[in-house]
Structure formats: structure tokens, C-alpha cells
Amino acid sequence: MAGSVGAGGSLGAGGSSGGVAQGGDAGSAGTVAGGGAGGDAGGGGAGGGGGTAGASACPNCDVLKGALIHRYMFDGSGTQITDSITPMANGTLTGGGTLASGALTLSGTNQYVDLPNGLISSLTAVTVEAWVTWNGGGDWQRIFDFGDNEMAEGGQGTGATYLFLTPQANDGLATPALRAAFTVSGPGAANETQVDSVGPLPTGSPVHVAVVAGGGALTLYIDGEPSGSVTFSGQLSGINDINNWIGRSQFGADGEFNGTFREFRIYNAALSAAVMQTSFEEGENPAFLLN
């Protein structure tokens, strides 16, 4: 601080953003003979504030990362299907199947993944997406089927409550079609909310598929583009999701999935069309999920 007689030193200038402040000038000497010594040097100015953080380069990636609650990358071995987001939600490969190079291949005969109970019934909206290659085969195979039937847990019968995605529905349609269906009161068009694509899932090549249930709509996506949508007022809490299966149906008459999964994700939100397009473009194992 300044001396009792000499003029006080000037206050140092404030630092630039994130910079170091400069010290002030020394105080001048006293003018009266025998007077007080010159003032001390002025204190340094306060440092400048930090710079403003830049905007995210991929805001839709931030949405995806924030809503993701389960992610199965099929990068393990043996029968454990690892959830990289929620370790307590690991699945079990049942009946065989091949895990290799980050892919799960199912033969279409008694091979599927059993995921833990209660994955979606606690949610108010959900998005389920997968990167799959379908090898074709019979109608009514399942990409996934979350719910129950009249049999005990683990058994197949006639579906009771469920949300499913089949690569090829065929119940009198002019053209069999990729279909998502939801019900809490048993099967059939009178009880289900159904949304169909314009045709079955393409075969023999990788495809990104997704189902969004919530926000007033049940919507199908293929390779990031909407492929059918209907009004939806169902409650996921009405599903008794004790059989959460990848590749297997609640219905005993339906065959298992014949093809390959490379990634399977579940989000706790009804993701928008723009966000789904971003997810498709970023693809499997995207950089934004490595952080």
C-alpha cells in the first residue's frame, strides 16, 4: 500500500483472459525533506477471467450420450453379453451363437440373448436401436422382444405384454414388412399399436434399425430415416418385462433371429429424427462414446 507521505503506486492492470496481471508502478518519493519514504509498489491487478467454453461440435452426440442407459457391443467371449454402461445389466447368450470381432451371430435355431428383467417398464419413453445383418428366413423372427407371455419366466407361449421388432411381419399384408408392436392387453391388431415399414428388413447387408416409443408416437427408423410412424399413447409401465430377449419371441410359434448383431443400445428417451440421423451417421462404436 502507499507510504504515509508519498503518493500511492498505481494499481496494476488486469490480466487478459486467462493471462497473468502486470504489477503496478512504484509510488513516488515524498516531497518534504525528512518526510516519509516513497510508497510501496502498487499491488498486481487481478487476473483475467477464463475464456468462454466453445460450443459442442456435435450437440446431437451429447443428447445420445446423455440418454444412453444400456449398450451391448458383443466384444466379449463365452456366454456373457456385457453392458458397457450399466454393468449390472449384462446379458446371457443362450443356446449357442458366436461372439467374435465385436459381433454376435445367431443361427436362427434356439439361439438368443437373455437380458435382465425390468429394462424398460420403469421408463416413460424409450429408444431401442441396433446394427444388424439379417440372413432372411421365416416370418416373425425377432430383433428384440421385451415383455412376457402366459408361461413362467423364460418360457414361450402367447405374448401378453410386450414391445417387439420383427424383420418380417406377415399377417395378411400385401407385402410382408418390418414391424414394431406394443401391447399391454395381448396380441392382435385390435390390442396392439403397430407400425410397419414399406417392406421387410433388407437381407445380407448391415442395416441400422431403431424403434422410438414415446412423445406421442411409435416410430420405426431404417438407416437413420423414419420408415413409419403412428400415434402412440401406451405406457411402458404396463409391460411385465420379465423376458427381455434379443433374437427371440414371446410366441412359441415364432423362430429365432437368423443373422448378426454388431451393436444394441437402449435410451431412456424418445429421440428425435435429427438425433437418430446422427446416431446412424456416427455408426457403431462412435468416437463420442469412447470418452
Side-chain angles (χ1 to χ4, degrees):
M1 54 191 293
S4 58
V5 176
S10 61
L11 183 65
S16 59
S17 176
V20 178
Q22 298 176 347
D25 301 330
S28 61
T31 57
V32 178
D40 297 332
T52 303
S56 171
C58 180
N60 286 341
C61 297
D62 296 339
V63 173
L64 288 161
K65 190 171 183 178
L68 183 60
I69 55 174
H70 302 290
R71 185 186 183 201
Y72 303 94
M73 296 185 289
F74 309 110
D75 55 357
S77 60
T79 61
Q80 179 171 287
I81 305 299
T82 302
D83 183 345
S84 63
I85 304 297
T86 309
M88 295 299 292
N90 292 339
T92 302
L93 180 59
T94 301
T98 302
L99 275 173
S101 303
L104 169 65
T105 300
L106 302 176
S107 69
T109 304
N110 300 323
Q111 296 179 349
Y112 63 97
V113 176
D114 184 21
L115 299 179
N117 297 357
L119 288 184
I120 65 171
S121 57
S122 63
L123 306 178
T124 56
V126 70
T127 298
V128 183
E129 69 175 343
W131 281 261
V132 303
T133 300
W134 185 41
N135 294 333
D139 302 329
W140 302 110
Q141 296 176 36
R142 291 294 194 274
I143 295 172
F144 71 87
D145 196 331
F146 296 164
D148 72 339
N149 55 75
E150 86 282 9
M151 305 298 288
E153 180 178 349
Q156 290 176 293
T158 300
T161 69
Y162 48 77
L163 174 67
F164 75 62
L165 178 62
T166 176
Q168 183 166 288
N170 190 358
D171 51 1
L173 297 171
T175 301
L178 176 73
R179 173 181 291 177
F182 168 93
T183 186
V184 295
S185 53
N191 297 323
E192 293 179 345
T193 302
Q194 303 174 348
V195 57
D196 293 340
S197 183
V198 294
L201 188 70
T203 60
S205 59
V207 181
H208 170 256
V209 292
V211 178
V212 178
L218 181 65
T219 305
L220 274 175
Y221 287 86
I222 297 178
D223 287 344
E225 295 290 340
S227 187
S229 187
V230 296
T231 300
F232 177 70
S233 59
Q235 300 294 319
L236 297 173
S237 59
I239 294 179
N240 182 30
D241 52 346
I242 60 172
N243 296 326
N244 291 329
W245 292 328
I246 296 175
R248 192 188 199 204
S249 171
Q250 305 297 332
F251 294 79
D254 299 339
E256 279 72 45
F257 186 80
N258 178 21
T260 300
F261 290 84
R262 284 175 309 283
E263 191 157 339
F264 189 94
R265 304 179 195 163
I266 302 174
Y267 302 85
N268 64 358
L271 299 178
S272 70
V275 172
M276 294 310 304
Q277 180 65 37
T278 296
S279 187
F280 165 66
E281 291 172 353
E282 294 290 324
E284 319 152 33
N285 201 29
F288 74 88
L289 289 180
L290 299 179
N291 300 327

